[in-house]
Amino acid sequence: MASLTRRHSSGGSGSLGVPSRMAWPRRPIRHGDANYAIPEPGNRTDGSSLAGRLFEVTSESTHSAGEQEVLASDEANGIGPATHRGSSLISSIHAQVRDVLGRARYLIHYFAELRWIVLIGILVRVCLWVYSSQADLSGFASMSVTMAYGGGPYTFGNNYPPAWPLLLNLVGRGMAIWIPPSGFLQATPLNAILVGRIGILEPPALVTPAFSVAEKTLLLPFDLGAGLIIYCLARSFDSSHLSPRVAFAVWFLNPLVITVSSVHGNYDVISTFFVLLSLLMLKKGDQLFAGISAGIAITLELYPIFLVPLFVAIIVRGKRRVVAFRQCVWFIMGGAISGLVLLWPPDLLSQFLVNFSAGPRVGNQFGGFWVWSITTLPGPGIQTLSDTLTADSIIVSLACVAIATVSVVYLAFAWITVSRFRCESAALYFTALASIFAIYFSLPIVQPQNLIWALPFLLLGCLGTKSLRIPFAVASTIPVAFYFVGLGGPLYLFQGLSTFTSLVAPSTVISSVTQFASYHDVFFPVLLVSTFVILALALIETLQLGRAEIVAA
Amino acid sequence: LLRRNPVSAKAVGRVVIIVFLVLILVSEILLYTPALSGRLSLSVEMGVSDGRISGNDTIRSPVAADVRQALYLVHQFPQISTVYLYFDTSYPWSYSNPVDWYGISAHIETVSDFRGVPISVVVLSASQLPGFLTTSPAPGTVLIVASGVLPDTVFTKSLNLVAPWVKDGGILVWMGDRIGTYSGQSGVPLKYPSPLNPGANGTREFLNLSLLGGTSQFYNSTSMLASAFNLNYTLGIPFDDLNTTRLPAYNGTSIGNLQGGFTNLAIVPLGSGEIIYFGGPTEDATNLGLILTNLLETGLYTGQVVLVNVSSIALSAGSSIVVPFSFPLSYYPYGAGSTMVCSFFTQTNYLALFGQTNCIPLA
């Protein structure tokens, strides 16, 4: 039996601590009851969003005396939990299904105020799914084809961490029910030859619309899920009910998010989702599942490993040593569980590490570990992409990783110090943002889609700081500006043209040239601006700390 | 989980995480359970009697697949378990790129492992090449040079360690720019013209210049051998492909695709050894790795192959078929004692790795 309780009721409260004029819940919720008392938006009396209030429920059982009577009566009549004792299997399953459906309906109402934003966002995405394509997507399709024909996750020679090939396997095997795997791709010989002429990693084949739709459909729930977590986290700031919805809209309708997921088909949003989920679970005090979520994020893209110091800081802050240690153990156990599942069988990890460390220019976009530089010493390095961006030296490479590690550990300690005083949440998100920028420092190449990692924390940090709320929308466009300036994102739409017409050459040349430019151009603006951002964040935190000390004095 | 609290973020988060892990487990089960994987299974029963080769192929495929069987006679050949790849990014390259250049090694190993006939690739740097090339090659020793440029440690205007090694029985696989044209120096970008480049004189040490030509970048017409052994390499370099009409005069064999009287892949003997010459750029390591594995696994690299029959079969998803075959063998090119009868089965779908060679002695 469960009950709902508002933590912070702003109006008059009934037996459940709910404003008396609010219509939920009209009666206690029972197992097998699909008709949860869903509040009607029109019943709001304080002008606030009911959806937002509904989220603020706790897991504590706080039944009133009246509830207890109803519960006892239900159990006596064989309703609710008591049905498990004597009912048949079928009725039990039926009750469970009704139960799940009821809860799903409840959640839909919880997020009701977002429905138009969700609808518009999905429509835009669906239109782009069919048409657009790009180089990475062809690699993903190739991996799916290889696995569908019996190969392993690393047979194609990719260097993505294991979780992503395993997800693509589901896409490929699912599609293979209707389409022969060879139909995921269409050959474009000119693309292959352009590789030699321009020096760009263009694929020798483009994806067909069917694969484009299937792969990007996989990304949609994570686009949406990350937005919903941002929405939930944003609700905790104060009673302003516009901002969380705007935060969700800025995420879900953001051209950067839409383009990365629905044009490029890059999966950065999945790891971002699990990082946010880990953060949410930590804030809810569930260290085990936070650890599992963080482990999933790390096996998708390696960069979240740099956020572990911050996660540990969240766990240990303000707790006794024994409690903090125990919770850290739960967090680590969670990470181990996800590792056991995602790195099985054992040779999967070794295959990944071989591909990750043995190929030229591999592994440079997942966390700064650039083992390849070991084997290229002492030569001038690889010439095709850029001589200026890359660190063809083991010393430089390790120094980058060391700087990033020291930075994120320092930032975690700084956050513990600052959060003793005030502005806990905003400081947390700014610390996470600064950690992400510290990661960018360690990467030989910052690709535009990597900016997705920073966007949620930028949004939440700005939203949680009153002085930054007005320009937060402007601030959130910084990554978008990087994207469009650096990569020429819309030009990727020309590659979609290649999928449907014979205009392979011009479209490929255009995208190749812009992509080539991006590798050279994106890094330096990111480096420059990230420097200023980190300095600004440090200044904000220092000012907050100073103000807090003054107040305390 | 939900029972405790039907709408808490914690409960929903837990469900999402558990569902994700379950999906990953499903994916792993699909990948690693033989009965559920998409791998094609094949058994070949083959025998020679009364001057005929006959047998049955039993094929089963969980997904839709196109397969091809080549029946051929080949001179007895050593099974190759190790090949050598020159790779050194401190030296320049031409019509190549480091990703595909190095990637060939990974793809040969992956494809051969997948087929159960593992071939390991030993990477040699420019400084290791002189020692390798000054040692007399054992039969079936293969060196892959996919850079289009030889380093000055083994090849200059006055030094050539490569051609003598081939003439001594080595097998050189060449890709990228024209063979012998350049001599690369460490850390120095390639220039043309340059007094350091051997140019046409360097090429003559490997091939007769009259063999080279062609104007196309694309070779889309598949020859019989290329089709039989799935050597679908479609790229070419203008003026660097091989003349199919002149190849026989130099005991060469065209095994690649064709365009306007030229081929982009051929085997050209040189002394006791041979050059397997790709007249195209080093691009698409996945396909190149597959082609090289097919060449090495089947014995086609010897250039001493006679096709008996080529047949194609299309399988629908989940189907299983038995294909009987019987063909006369009236021609014994290499003497009955040293000739093998082989069947090479390959899945021809793009990026499919399946291949299986079965050989029996003719005698």
Side-chain angles (χ1 to χ4, degrees), chain A residues 31 55 58-59 96 106 149 155-156 166 169 173 196-197 286 341 344-345 358, chain B residues 2-3 5 7 9 14 27-28 32 36 95 102 107 114 217 283 347 349 353:
Chain A
H31 287 283
F55 178 70
T58 66
S59 58
Q96 292 291 334
Y106 202 92
Y149 283 134
T155 302
F156 179 65
L166 291 172
N169 180 46
R173 293 301 295 274
R197 304 295 179 273
D286 193 339
V341 174
W344 182 88
Chain B
L2 277 170
R3 231 175 249 170
N5 193 335
V7 288
R14 285 179 172 185
S27 178
E28 288 169 340
Y32 296 110
L36 297 174
Y95 280 99
Y102 185 84
H107 285 286
F114 182 86
Q217 290 187 324
E283 313 293 356
Q347 190 172 351
N349 302 108
L353 305 182

mmCIF file of all heavy atoms in Angstrom, chain A residues 31 55 58-59 96 106 149 155-156 166 169 173 196-197 286 341 344-345 358, chain B residues 2-3 5 7 9 14 27-28 32 36 95 102 107 114 217 283 347 349 353:
data_model
loop_
_atom_site.group_PDB
_atom_site.id
_atom_site.type_symbol
_atom_site.label_atom_id
_atom_site.label_comp_id
_atom_site.label_asym_id
_atom_site.label_seq_id
_atom_site.Cartn_x
_atom_site.Cartn_y
_atom_site.Cartn_z
ATOM 1 N N HIS A 31 -3.601 -1.478 -4.849
ATOM 2 C CA HIS A 31 -3.052 -2.302 -5.910
ATOM 3 C C HIS A 31 -4.184 -2.800 -6.766
ATOM 4 O O HIS A 31 -5.248 -3.173 -6.271
ATOM 5 C CB HIS A 31 -2.286 -3.491 -5.331
ATOM 6 C CG HIS A 31 -0.995 -3.060 -4.743
ATOM 7 N ND1 HIS A 31 0.097 -2.764 -5.508
ATOM 8 C CD2 HIS A 31 -0.653 -2.834 -3.452
ATOM 9 C CE1 HIS A 31 1.081 -2.390 -4.724
ATOM 10 N NE2 HIS A 31 0.653 -2.419 -3.472
ATOM 11 N N PHE A 55 4.826 15.770 -8.293
ATOM 12 C CA PHE A 55 6.108 15.090 -8.257
ATOM 13 C C PHE A 55 6.670 15.011 -6.850
ATOM 14 O O PHE A 55 7.400 14.087 -6.526
ATOM 15 C CB PHE A 55 7.094 15.827 -9.161
ATOM 16 C CG PHE A 55 8.446 15.193 -9.127
ATOM 17 C CD1 PHE A 55 8.642 13.955 -9.717
ATOM 18 C CD2 PHE A 55 9.491 15.810 -8.480
ATOM 19 C CE1 PHE A 55 9.871 13.360 -9.682
ATOM 20 C CE2 PHE A 55 10.731 15.210 -8.438
ATOM 21 C CZ PHE A 55 10.912 13.984 -9.044
ATOM 22 N N THR A 58 6.744 11.429 -1.444
ATOM 23 C CA THR A 58 7.801 10.727 -0.722
ATOM 24 C C THR A 58 7.452 9.262 -0.597
ATOM 25 O O THR A 58 6.332 8.844 -0.837
ATOM 26 C CB THR A 58 7.970 11.309 0.687
ATOM 27 O OG1 THR A 58 6.772 11.012 1.412
ATOM 28 C CG2 THR A 58 8.212 12.782 0.665
ATOM 29 N N SER A 59 8.435 8.515 -0.216
ATOM 30 C CA SER A 59 8.208 7.083 -0.093
ATOM 31 C C SER A 59 7.769 6.695 1.315
ATOM 32 O O SER A 59 7.499 5.552 1.590
ATOM 33 C CB SER A 59 9.489 6.329 -0.449
ATOM 34 O OG SER A 59 10.518 6.760 0.394
ATOM 35 N N GLN A 96 -2.073 -6.683 -11.653
ATOM 36 C CA GLN A 96 -0.760 -6.050 -11.833
ATOM 37 C C GLN A 96 -0.764 -5.136 -13.057
ATOM 38 O O GLN A 96 -0.219 -4.033 -13.031
ATOM 39 C CB GLN A 96 0.324 -7.126 -12.010
ATOM 40 C CG GLN A 96 0.601 -7.957 -10.774
ATOM 41 C CD GLN A 96 1.273 -7.141 -9.679
ATOM 42 O OE1 GLN A 96 1.942 -6.165 -9.972
ATOM 43 N NE2 GLN A 96 1.062 -7.523 -8.441
ATOM 44 N N TYR A 106 -1.021 8.034 -14.184
ATOM 45 C CA TYR A 106 -0.697 9.020 -13.167
ATOM 46 C C TYR A 106 0.490 9.882 -13.610
ATOM 47 O O TYR A 106 0.471 11.108 -13.496
ATOM 48 C CB TYR A 106 -0.339 8.272 -11.873
ATOM 49 C CG TYR A 106 -0.492 9.085 -10.636
ATOM 50 C CD1 TYR A 106 -1.674 9.074 -9.910
ATOM 51 C CD2 TYR A 106 0.551 9.873 -10.173
ATOM 52 C CE1 TYR A 106 -1.813 9.824 -8.761
ATOM 53 C CE2 TYR A 106 0.428 10.619 -9.033
ATOM 54 C CZ TYR A 106 -0.756 10.593 -8.320
ATOM 55 O OH TYR A 106 -0.890 11.332 -7.192
ATOM 56 N N TYR A 149 24.872 -10.141 -38.971
ATOM 57 C CA TYR A 149 25.409 -11.279 -39.724
ATOM 58 C C TYR A 149 26.280 -12.188 -38.857
ATOM 59 O O TYR A 149 27.053 -12.982 -39.372
ATOM 60 C CB TYR A 149 26.197 -10.798 -40.935
ATOM 61 C CG TYR A 149 25.327 -10.341 -42.083
ATOM 62 C CD1 TYR A 149 25.588 -9.146 -42.745
ATOM 63 C CD2 TYR A 149 24.252 -11.103 -42.508
ATOM 64 C CE1 TYR A 149 24.800 -8.721 -43.799
ATOM 65 C CE2 TYR A 149 23.449 -10.684 -43.557
ATOM 66 C CZ TYR A 149 23.728 -9.499 -44.202
ATOM 67 O OH TYR A 149 22.934 -9.091 -45.241
ATOM 68 N N THR A 155 33.661 -6.492 -34.100
ATOM 69 C CA THR A 155 34.103 -7.084 -35.362
ATOM 70 C C THR A 155 34.313 -6.022 -36.421
ATOM 71 O O THR A 155 35.219 -6.115 -37.239
ATOM 72 C CB THR A 155 33.054 -8.106 -35.851
ATOM 73 O OG1 THR A 155 32.885 -9.088 -34.833
ATOM 74 C CG2 THR A 155 33.494 -8.778 -37.127
ATOM 75 N N PHE A 156 33.486 -5.016 -36.415
ATOM 76 C CA PHE A 156 33.592 -3.967 -37.430
ATOM 77 C C PHE A 156 34.842 -3.117 -37.231
ATOM 78 O O PHE A 156 35.260 -2.397 -38.120
ATOM 79 C CB PHE A 156 32.336 -3.091 -37.412
ATOM 80 C CG PHE A 156 32.376 -1.966 -38.407
ATOM 81 C CD1 PHE A 156 32.394 -2.228 -39.767
ATOM 82 C CD2 PHE A 156 32.416 -0.654 -37.983
ATOM 83 C CE1 PHE A 156 32.442 -1.199 -40.681
ATOM 84 C CE2 PHE A 156 32.453 0.387 -38.897
ATOM 85 C CZ PHE A 156 32.467 0.112 -40.253
ATOM 86 N N LEU A 166 26.079 -2.756 -28.082
ATOM 87 C CA LEU A 166 25.037 -3.686 -27.629
ATOM 88 C C LEU A 166 23.642 -3.125 -27.902
ATOM 89 O O LEU A 166 22.719 -3.867 -28.260
ATOM 90 C CB LEU A 166 25.207 -3.988 -26.135
ATOM 91 C CG LEU A 166 26.456 -4.819 -25.775
ATOM 92 C CD1 LEU A 166 26.651 -4.893 -24.266
ATOM 93 C CD2 LEU A 166 26.361 -6.218 -26.361
ATOM 94 N N ASN A 169 22.985 -3.461 -31.576
ATOM 95 C CA ASN A 169 22.641 -4.834 -31.937
ATOM 96 C C ASN A 169 21.135 -5.051 -31.857
ATOM 97 O O ASN A 169 20.540 -5.715 -32.708
ATOM 98 C CB ASN A 169 23.367 -5.812 -31.004
ATOM 99 C CG ASN A 169 23.053 -7.253 -31.335
ATOM 100 O OD1 ASN A 169 23.083 -7.648 -32.496
ATOM 101 N ND2 ASN A 169 22.723 -8.040 -30.330
ATOM 102 N N ARG A 173 19.081 -6.227 -35.041
ATOM 103 C CA ARG A 173 18.349 -7.489 -35.041
ATOM 104 C C ARG A 173 16.848 -7.248 -35.154
ATOM 105 O O ARG A 173 16.134 -8.050 -35.754
ATOM 106 C CB ARG A 173 18.667 -8.289 -33.767
ATOM 107 C CG ARG A 173 20.099 -8.775 -33.675
ATOM 108 C CD ARG A 173 20.495 -9.665 -34.841
ATOM 109 N NE ARG A 173 19.754 -10.906 -34.880
ATOM 110 C CZ ARG A 173 20.085 -12.020 -34.228
ATOM 111 N NH1 ARG A 173 21.175 -12.028 -33.486
ATOM 112 N NH2 ARG A 173 19.357 -13.100 -34.325
ATOM 113 N N GLY A 196 40.443 9.696 -49.536
ATOM 114 C CA GLY A 196 41.830 9.875 -49.928
ATOM 115 C C GLY A 196 42.139 11.277 -50.394
ATOM 116 O O GLY A 196 43.220 11.796 -50.164
ATOM 117 N N ARG A 197 41.164 11.889 -51.031
ATOM 118 C CA ARG A 197 41.434 13.217 -51.613
ATOM 119 C C ARG A 197 41.407 14.313 -50.552
ATOM 120 O O ARG A 197 42.199 15.229 -50.569
ATOM 121 C CB ARG A 197 40.398 13.527 -52.691
ATOM 122 C CG ARG A 197 40.309 12.508 -53.785
ATOM 123 C CD ARG A 197 41.607 12.466 -54.602
ATOM 124 N NE ARG A 197 41.494 11.455 -55.648
ATOM 125 C CZ ARG A 197 41.802 10.178 -55.459
ATOM 126 N NH1 ARG A 197 42.242 9.772 -54.280
ATOM 127 N NH2 ARG A 197 41.682 9.315 -56.438
ATOM 128 N N ASP A 286 19.429 7.299 -3.207
ATOM 129 C CA ASP A 286 19.534 5.916 -3.663
ATOM 130 C C ASP A 286 20.928 5.711 -4.272
ATOM 131 O O ASP A 286 21.112 5.804 -5.494
ATOM 132 C CB ASP A 286 18.440 5.637 -4.695
ATOM 133 C CG ASP A 286 18.301 4.150 -4.979
ATOM 134 O OD1 ASP A 286 19.261 3.396 -4.707
ATOM 135 O OD2 ASP A 286 17.244 3.742 -5.489
ATOM 136 N N VAL A 341 27.173 -6.448 -15.924
ATOM 137 C CA VAL A 341 26.172 -6.691 -16.972
ATOM 138 C C VAL A 341 26.685 -6.209 -18.328
ATOM 139 O O VAL A 341 26.586 -6.914 -19.338
ATOM 140 C CB VAL A 341 24.845 -5.983 -16.623
ATOM 141 C CG1 VAL A 341 23.849 -6.105 -17.774
ATOM 142 C CG2 VAL A 341 24.255 -6.581 -15.353
ATOM 143 N N TRP A 344 29.980 -7.999 -20.022
ATOM 144 C CA TRP A 344 29.938 -9.443 -20.169
ATOM 145 C C TRP A 344 29.772 -9.800 -21.641
ATOM 146 O O TRP A 344 29.044 -9.105 -22.342
ATOM 147 C CB TRP A 344 28.751 -10.007 -19.374
ATOM 148 C CG TRP A 344 28.664 -11.497 -19.426
ATOM 149 C CD1 TRP A 344 29.272 -12.387 -18.602
ATOM 150 C CD2 TRP A 344 27.922 -12.266 -20.382
ATOM 151 N NE1 TRP A 344 28.954 -13.652 -18.987
ATOM 152 C CE2 TRP A 344 28.132 -13.622 -20.080
ATOM 153 C CE3 TRP A 344 27.117 -11.951 -21.481
ATOM 154 C CZ2 TRP A 344 27.567 -14.648 -20.830
ATOM 155 C CZ3 TRP A 344 26.557 -12.970 -22.222
ATOM 156 C CH2 TRP A 344 26.777 -14.302 -21.889
ATOM 157 N N PRO A 345 30.398 -10.827 -22.166
ATOM 158 C CA PRO A 345 31.338 -11.724 -21.509
ATOM 159 C C PRO A 345 32.710 -11.074 -21.329
ATOM 160 O O PRO A 345 32.954 -10.001 -21.910
ATOM 161 C CB PRO A 345 31.408 -12.889 -22.488
ATOM 162 C CG PRO A 345 31.141 -12.289 -23.813
ATOM 163 C CD PRO A 345 30.144 -11.196 -23.569
ATOM 164 N N ALA A 358 44.611 0.543 -29.832
ATOM 165 C CA ALA A 358 45.524 0.104 -30.878
ATOM 166 C C ALA A 358 45.348 0.812 -32.204
ATOM 167 O O ALA A 358 46.147 0.613 -33.105
ATOM 168 C CB ALA A 358 45.381 -1.399 -31.095
ATOM 169 N N LEU B 2 7.739 -0.334 -7.778
ATOM 170 C CA LEU B 2 6.683 0.663 -7.900
ATOM 171 C C LEU B 2 5.689 0.567 -6.743
ATOM 172 O O LEU B 2 5.053 1.534 -6.392
ATOM 173 C CB LEU B 2 5.938 0.470 -9.218
ATOM 174 C CG LEU B 2 6.587 1.112 -10.435
ATOM 175 C CD1 LEU B 2 5.911 0.648 -11.705
ATOM 176 C CD2 LEU B 2 6.538 2.624 -10.327
ATOM 177 N N ARG B 3 5.597 -0.652 -6.206
ATOM 178 C CA ARG B 3 4.600 -0.859 -5.183
ATOM 179 C C ARG B 3 4.828 0.070 -3.984
ATOM 180 O O ARG B 3 3.918 0.528 -3.352
ATOM 181 C CB ARG B 3 4.665 -2.309 -4.733
ATOM 182 C CG ARG B 3 3.344 -2.978 -4.737
ATOM 183 C CD ARG B 3 3.526 -4.424 -4.394
ATOM 184 N NE ARG B 3 3.239 -5.247 -5.542
ATOM 185 C CZ ARG B 3 3.496 -6.546 -5.594
ATOM 186 N NH1 ARG B 3 4.083 -7.129 -4.583
ATOM 187 N NH2 ARG B 3 3.175 -7.245 -6.644
ATOM 188 N N ASN B 5 6.104 3.049 -3.918
ATOM 189 C CA ASN B 5 5.744 4.433 -4.158
ATOM 190 C C ASN B 5 5.434 4.612 -5.635
ATOM 191 O O ASN B 5 6.338 4.614 -6.454
ATOM 192 C CB ASN B 5 6.899 5.347 -3.752
ATOM 193 C CG ASN B 5 6.457 6.778 -3.695
ATOM 194 O OD1 ASN B 5 5.499 7.160 -4.356
ATOM 195 N ND2 ASN B 5 7.136 7.567 -2.900
ATOM 196 N N VAL B 7 4.643 6.876 -7.742
ATOM 197 C CA VAL B 7 5.024 7.972 -8.640
ATOM 198 C C VAL B 7 6.317 8.655 -8.230
ATOM 199 O O VAL B 7 6.592 9.737 -8.688
ATOM 200 C CB VAL B 7 3.902 9.023 -8.738
ATOM 201 C CG1 VAL B 7 2.736 8.500 -9.515
ATOM 202 C CG2 VAL B 7 3.490 9.490 -7.362
ATOM 203 N N ALA B 9 10.159 9.720 -8.181
ATOM 204 C CA ALA B 9 11.220 9.747 -9.189
ATOM 205 C C ALA B 9 12.183 8.605 -8.967
ATOM 206 O O ALA B 9 12.705 8.021 -9.921
ATOM 207 C CB ALA B 9 11.952 11.087 -9.102
ATOM 208 N N ARG B 14 14.528 3.712 -10.956
ATOM 209 C CA ARG B 14 14.929 2.313 -10.801
ATOM 210 C C ARG B 14 14.385 1.456 -11.931
ATOM 211 O O ARG B 14 15.088 0.606 -12.478
ATOM 212 C CB ARG B 14 14.408 1.775 -9.462
ATOM 213 C CG ARG B 14 15.190 2.274 -8.269
ATOM 214 C CD ARG B 14 14.585 1.720 -6.998
ATOM 215 N NE ARG B 14 15.412 2.029 -5.841
ATOM 216 C CZ ARG B 14 15.157 1.584 -4.619
ATOM 217 N NH1 ARG B 14 14.086 0.846 -4.402
ATOM 218 N NH2 ARG B 14 15.954 1.882 -3.623
ATOM 219 N N SER B 27 20.371 -8.252 -25.604
ATOM 220 C CA SER B 27 21.308 -8.054 -26.713
ATOM 221 C C SER B 27 22.485 -9.017 -26.610
ATOM 222 O O SER B 27 22.914 -9.611 -27.610
ATOM 223 C CB SER B 27 21.799 -6.602 -26.706
ATOM 224 O OG SER B 27 22.727 -6.396 -27.731
ATOM 225 N N GLU B 28 22.999 -9.183 -25.397
ATOM 226 C CA GLU B 28 24.138 -10.094 -25.209
ATOM 227 C C GLU B 28 23.742 -11.539 -25.508
ATOM 228 O O GLU B 28 24.520 -12.292 -26.111
ATOM 229 C CB GLU B 28 24.675 -9.959 -23.776
ATOM 230 C CG GLU B 28 25.415 -8.641 -23.557
ATOM 231 C CD GLU B 28 25.715 -8.364 -22.102
ATOM 232 O OE1 GLU B 28 25.051 -8.950 -21.232
ATOM 233 O OE2 GLU B 28 26.603 -7.536 -21.834
ATOM 234 N N TYR B 32 25.620 -13.774 -28.294
ATOM 235 C CA TYR B 32 26.537 -14.840 -27.891
ATOM 236 C C TYR B 32 25.913 -16.222 -27.813
ATOM 237 O O TYR B 32 26.602 -17.178 -27.489
ATOM 238 C CB TYR B 32 27.180 -14.477 -26.550
ATOM 239 C CG TYR B 32 28.038 -13.242 -26.657
ATOM 240 C CD1 TYR B 32 27.666 -12.048 -26.060
ATOM 241 C CD2 TYR B 32 29.215 -13.274 -27.390
ATOM 242 C CE1 TYR B 32 28.443 -10.909 -26.181
ATOM 243 C CE2 TYR B 32 29.997 -12.140 -27.524
ATOM 244 C CZ TYR B 32 29.609 -10.956 -26.917
ATOM 245 O OH TYR B 32 30.384 -9.836 -27.052
ATOM 246 N N LEU B 36 20.944 -18.276 -31.668
ATOM 247 C CA LEU B 36 20.221 -17.019 -31.884
ATOM 248 C C LEU B 36 21.026 -16.010 -32.694
ATOM 249 O O LEU B 36 20.486 -15.006 -33.145
ATOM 250 C CB LEU B 36 19.845 -16.394 -30.530
ATOM 251 C CG LEU B 36 18.902 -17.209 -29.650
ATOM 252 C CD1 LEU B 36 18.732 -16.544 -28.292
ATOM 253 C CD2 LEU B 36 17.552 -17.366 -30.325
ATOM 254 N N TYR B 95 47.961 8.336 -51.490
ATOM 255 C CA TYR B 95 46.754 7.553 -51.805
ATOM 256 C C TYR B 95 46.496 6.516 -50.707
ATOM 257 O O TYR B 95 46.199 5.346 -50.966
ATOM 258 C CB TYR B 95 46.859 6.875 -53.167
ATOM 259 C CG TYR B 95 46.555 7.815 -54.307
ATOM 260 C CD1 TYR B 95 47.585 8.408 -55.028
ATOM 261 C CD2 TYR B 95 45.244 8.117 -54.644
ATOM 262 C CE1 TYR B 95 47.316 9.286 -56.058
ATOM 263 C CE2 TYR B 95 44.960 8.992 -55.682
ATOM 264 C CZ TYR B 95 46.004 9.577 -56.383
ATOM 265 O OH TYR B 95 45.717 10.462 -57.404
ATOM 266 N N TYR B 102 46.520 1.252 -41.177
ATOM 267 C CA TYR B 102 46.690 0.410 -39.995
ATOM 268 C C TYR B 102 45.486 -0.512 -39.800
ATOM 269 O O TYR B 102 45.625 -1.659 -39.352
ATOM 270 C CB TYR B 102 46.865 1.282 -38.746
ATOM 271 C CG TYR B 102 47.162 0.466 -37.515
ATOM 272 C CD1 TYR B 102 48.454 0.062 -37.227
ATOM 273 C CD2 TYR B 102 46.136 0.080 -36.662
ATOM 274 C CE1 TYR B 102 48.726 -0.710 -36.114
ATOM 275 C CE2 TYR B 102 46.399 -0.694 -35.546
ATOM 276 C CZ TYR B 102 47.695 -1.078 -35.268
ATOM 277 O OH TYR B 102 47.958 -1.844 -34.176
ATOM 278 N N HIS B 107 41.438 -5.720 -39.373
ATOM 279 C CA HIS B 107 40.364 -6.388 -40.110
ATOM 280 C C HIS B 107 40.777 -7.773 -40.591
ATOM 281 O O HIS B 107 39.952 -8.686 -40.601
ATOM 282 C CB HIS B 107 39.895 -5.506 -41.264
ATOM 283 C CG HIS B 107 39.056 -4.365 -40.802
ATOM 284 N ND1 HIS B 107 37.764 -4.532 -40.372
ATOM 285 C CD2 HIS B 107 39.334 -3.049 -40.645
ATOM 286 C CE1 HIS B 107 37.274 -3.363 -39.983
ATOM 287 N NE2 HIS B 107 38.209 -2.449 -40.138
ATOM 288 N N PHE B 114 37.021 -14.845 -37.171
ATOM 289 C CA PHE B 114 35.597 -15.136 -37.338
ATOM 290 C C PHE B 114 35.405 -16.444 -38.117
ATOM 291 O O PHE B 114 34.505 -17.216 -37.856
ATOM 292 C CB PHE B 114 34.930 -13.969 -38.073
ATOM 293 C CG PHE B 114 33.451 -14.110 -38.272
ATOM 294 C CD1 PHE B 114 32.567 -13.710 -37.288
ATOM 295 C CD2 PHE B 114 32.935 -14.635 -39.449
ATOM 296 C CE1 PHE B 114 31.196 -13.834 -37.462
ATOM 297 C CE2 PHE B 114 31.568 -14.762 -39.635
ATOM 298 C CZ PHE B 114 30.700 -14.361 -38.637
ATOM 299 N N GLN B 217 38.637 6.169 -61.963
ATOM 300 C CA GLN B 217 38.728 6.064 -60.510
ATOM 301 C C GLN B 217 37.827 4.948 -59.981
ATOM 302 O O GLN B 217 37.919 4.589 -58.814
ATOM 303 C CB GLN B 217 38.310 7.379 -59.848
ATOM 304 C CG GLN B 217 39.306 8.507 -60.056
ATOM 305 C CD GLN B 217 38.927 9.723 -59.255
ATOM 306 O OE1 GLN B 217 37.748 10.009 -59.107
ATOM 307 N NE2 GLN B 217 39.908 10.442 -58.756
ATOM 308 N N GLU B 283 41.732 2.613 -49.031
ATOM 309 C CA GLU B 283 40.528 3.158 -48.401
ATOM 310 C C GLU B 283 39.603 2.010 -48.043
ATOM 311 O O GLU B 283 39.621 0.979 -48.696
ATOM 312 C CB GLU B 283 39.770 4.099 -49.354
ATOM 313 C CG GLU B 283 40.612 5.131 -50.070
ATOM 314 C CD GLU B 283 41.190 6.178 -49.137
ATOM 315 O OE1 GLU B 283 40.870 6.140 -47.945
ATOM 316 O OE2 GLU B 283 41.959 7.018 -49.609
ATOM 317 N N GLN B 347 29.734 -15.356 -47.936
ATOM 318 C CA GLN B 347 28.503 -14.573 -47.893
ATOM 319 C C GLN B 347 28.815 -13.235 -48.549
ATOM 320 O O GLN B 347 29.736 -12.529 -48.117
ATOM 321 C CB GLN B 347 28.052 -14.377 -46.441
ATOM 322 C CG GLN B 347 26.669 -13.778 -46.305
ATOM 323 C CD GLN B 347 26.184 -13.790 -44.865
ATOM 324 O OE1 GLN B 347 26.801 -14.386 -43.989
ATOM 325 N NE2 GLN B 347 25.067 -13.125 -44.617
ATOM 326 N N ASN B 349 26.935 -10.478 -48.889
ATOM 327 C CA ASN B 349 26.300 -9.243 -48.406
ATOM 328 C C ASN B 349 27.362 -8.293 -47.861
ATOM 329 O O ASN B 349 28.343 -8.728 -47.248
ATOM 330 C CB ASN B 349 25.296 -9.563 -47.299
ATOM 331 C CG ASN B 349 24.236 -10.532 -47.750
ATOM 332 O OD1 ASN B 349 24.245 -11.686 -47.344
ATOM 333 N ND2 ASN B 349 23.338 -10.089 -48.602
ATOM 334 N N LEU B 353 30.907 -11.359 -42.920
ATOM 335 C CA LEU B 353 32.274 -11.873 -42.847
ATOM 336 C C LEU B 353 32.366 -13.354 -43.154
ATOM 337 O O LEU B 353 33.465 -13.889 -43.260
ATOM 338 C CB LEU B 353 32.829 -11.637 -41.435
ATOM 339 C CG LEU B 353 32.799 -10.203 -40.917
ATOM 340 C CD1 LEU B 353 33.431 -10.135 -39.539
ATOM 341 C CD2 LEU B 353 33.527 -9.272 -41.868
#
